[in-house]
Amino acid sequence: MTRIRMALALAFTFAGSAVALITAAAPSSAGAVTAARAATVRLEQTGLGEILVDASGHTLYMFTRDRHDRDSCAKVPGCLEAWPALTTTRRPVAGANVRRSLLGTIKLHGRVRQVTYAGHPLYTYALDSIRRSTFNIGADEYGGAWYAVNAAGQPVD
């Protein structure tokens, strides 16, 4: 999977669009996607079952290197640029069949908080352009694996 991603990155670089693509997808200077309003977490059906997605329908991931309510990605150079944190400045909103009791936040920086589910900090993938993508599930990057999350807060692979 990493070889495919690297090949795609090289293809974009060769086409001269990698810088524009990464810049367009790059989050704020802290590497997080900052929500202007409350972040919404929903469930959507995929070939792997129901998984958590953001308000735009993009897959939400957990990082196996994280600990309960602790973001380890933020401490690894480049990690939040590739795997932006789902952030909010307000209380996150639970969509249908998402357990509100499992939804929370942790402090990321300033007033920005990262959304968590069952204690797992949540992330998107910067180059995911397809809603409910399962392509990057199981990716092994930045010293850990990236999995989608189900309604029970368990990893989906």
Side-chain angles (χ1 to χ4, degrees):
M1 181 119 15
T2 301
R3 277 188 261 150
I4 293 170
R5 243 190 299 269
M6 288 176 16
L8 288 172
L10 289 173
F12 284 127
T13 301
F14 181 76
S17 60
V19 174
L21 179 61
I22 292 169
T23 303
S28 67
S29 61
V33 176
T34 304
R37 55 193 164 133
T40 300
V41 176
R42 303 178 306 142
L43 271 176
E44 290 207 13
Q45 187 65 40
T46 70
L48 298 176
E50 286 188 323
I51 61 171
L52 297 180
V53 298
D54 65 10
S56 299
H58 291 104
T59 303
L60 293 173
Y61 299 88
M62 60 169 284
F63 184 38
T64 59
R65 191 168 159 180
D66 287 340
R67 296 295 167 243
H68 188 81
D69 288 333
R70 301 232 185 252
D71 178 328
S72 296
C73 180
K75 298 173 185 162
V76 180
C79 188
L80 284 178
E81 285 73 27
W83 298 92
L86 177 64
T87 63
T88 188
T89 55
R90 300 186 182 159
R91 185 177 182 173
V93 176
N97 300 318
V98 173
R99 293 169 52 187
R100 173 68 193 114
S101 63
L102 296 180
L103 202 54
T105 63
I106 56 175
K107 186 176 180 175
L108 193 58
H109 60 84
R111 291 184 51 230
V112 176
R113 302 190 65 79
Q114 184 171 7
V115 179
T116 63
Y117 195 76
H120 301 292
L122 297 177
Y123 306 85
T124 59
Y125 181 63
L127 298 179
D128 259 352
S129 59
I130 301 170
R131 294 170 43 105
R132 299 179 308 275
S133 172
T134 59
F135 181 74
N136 296 299
I137 294 173
D140 186 14
E141 295 182 342
Y142 299 99
W146 298 87
Y147 295 110
V149 183
N150 67 19
Q154 298 299 313
V156 174
D157 60 355

